[in-house]
Amino acid sequence: LTAPPPLPAQVDSPRSPLLYLVLQLYFPGVSAQSFLHSFTLASGAFNLQVATPGGKLIDFVDVNESNMRWIQDFRMKSYANPAKLESIDGARYHALLIPNCPGAMTDLANSGYLAKILQHFSNENKPICAVGHGVAALCCATNEDKSWVFQDYSLTGPSLYELIRQPNFASLSIIVEDFVKDSGATFSASKPDAVHIVLDRHLV
């Protein structure tokens, strides 16, 4: 196994645009590997701001030998303390990234605070990237007429088969594949356990 890249000493550069990483809190947490890749890839081009509902600490899952040291080092950094999602002003940020968060179907998919941020990003054509189960977070963004903000998009995400294997499947408040199709958007799923990425339509 190759070692992950080192953490930056800081994520503050006046020349870099702001990127906002939004994370969920509840079971089954945030994928450590997805967060590692998202954070290290984005930190080279952006100032990063991590946010969670209530500003609570991130609960990482799937921690293994290859990413454990990186996660431990991350927790020691000042920027590891998340901002409160409820206090985020979307106008301050240039891009939004949602890593693979299996628990996004529990809280972010119904977040009114995130919905306002997503509506702003969509209206301003700012880049949005959601990875894996993080796609569920996009489901909260509905217009006043109940139509979905992303109804004209094409999304890729985990299949129903993958969701069925989740221990909390019976209690899920939303099935992303069904929601996307019912809302008029296009949904596709790759092979089980593959990496799923959805990008803002003007990036592809």
Side-chain angles (χ1 to χ4, degrees):
L1 296 174
T2 58
L7 281 161
Q10 60 178 16
V11 238
D12 300 337
S13 170
R15 297 185 301 275
S16 299
L18 282 169
L19 181 138
Y20 162 46
L21 287 89
V22 58
L23 304 166
Q24 61 83 48
L25 296 175
Y26 301 105
F27 179 85
V30 179
S31 166
Q33 198 66 18
S34 178
F35 181 83
L36 185 160
H37 287 309
S38 299
F39 193 95
T40 54
L41 181 64
S43 62
F46 293 92
N47 287 333
L48 302 181
Q49 172 70 69
V50 178
T52 63
K56 296 182 180 179
L57 294 178
I58 305 167
D59 180 22
F60 290 108
V61 296
D62 300 327
V63 177
N64 54 43
E65 292 183 2
S66 67
N67 59 38
M68 182 181 299
R69 179 61 183 273
W70 190 95
I71 294 298
Q72 290 174 341
D73 289 345
F74 171 79
R75 291 192 184 279
M76 299 295 292
K77 302 293 184 180
S78 60
Y79 50 72
N81 295 317
K84 291 183 179 180
L85 175 62
E86 297 81 356
S87 65
I88 292 295
D89 178 6
R92 294 185 57 239
Y93 299 88
H94 296 79
L96 185 148
L97 172 59
I98 307 172
N100 182 22
C101 303
M105 293 171 285
T106 303
D107 53 4
L108 294 182
N110 302 297
S111 172
Y113 296 103
L114 180 58
K116 293 179 180 179
I117 296 169
L118 290 168
Q119 288 166 346
H120 166 79
F121 269 75
S122 178
N123 292 337
E124 298 297 324
N125 288 319
K126 294 181 179 181
I128 300 171
C129 177
V131 183
H133 292 288
V135 174
L138 305 180
C139 297
C140 67
T142 55
N143 297 306
E144 292 184 2
D145 62 359
K146 303 301 181 182
S147 63
W148 193 36
V149 169
F150 303 106
Q151 62 182 359
D152 296 326
Y153 286 57
S154 178
L155 295 90
T156 301
S159 65
L160 180 59
Y161 172 75
E162 289 180 81
L163 292 182
I164 291 174
R165 295 186 300 173
Q166 296 286 327
N168 62 333
F169 175 75
S171 62
L172 291 179
S173 62
I174 192 168
I175 303 298
V176 177
E177 182 173 355
D178 292 344
F179 178 90
V180 170
K181 292 178 178 179
D182 291 345
S183 300
T186 302
F187 183 90
S188 62
S190 55
K191 294 180 179 179
D193 302 318
V195 176
H196 307 282
I197 301 176
V198 56
L199 294 173
D200 184 286
R201 59 185 169 190
H202 72 272
L203 293 182
V204 295

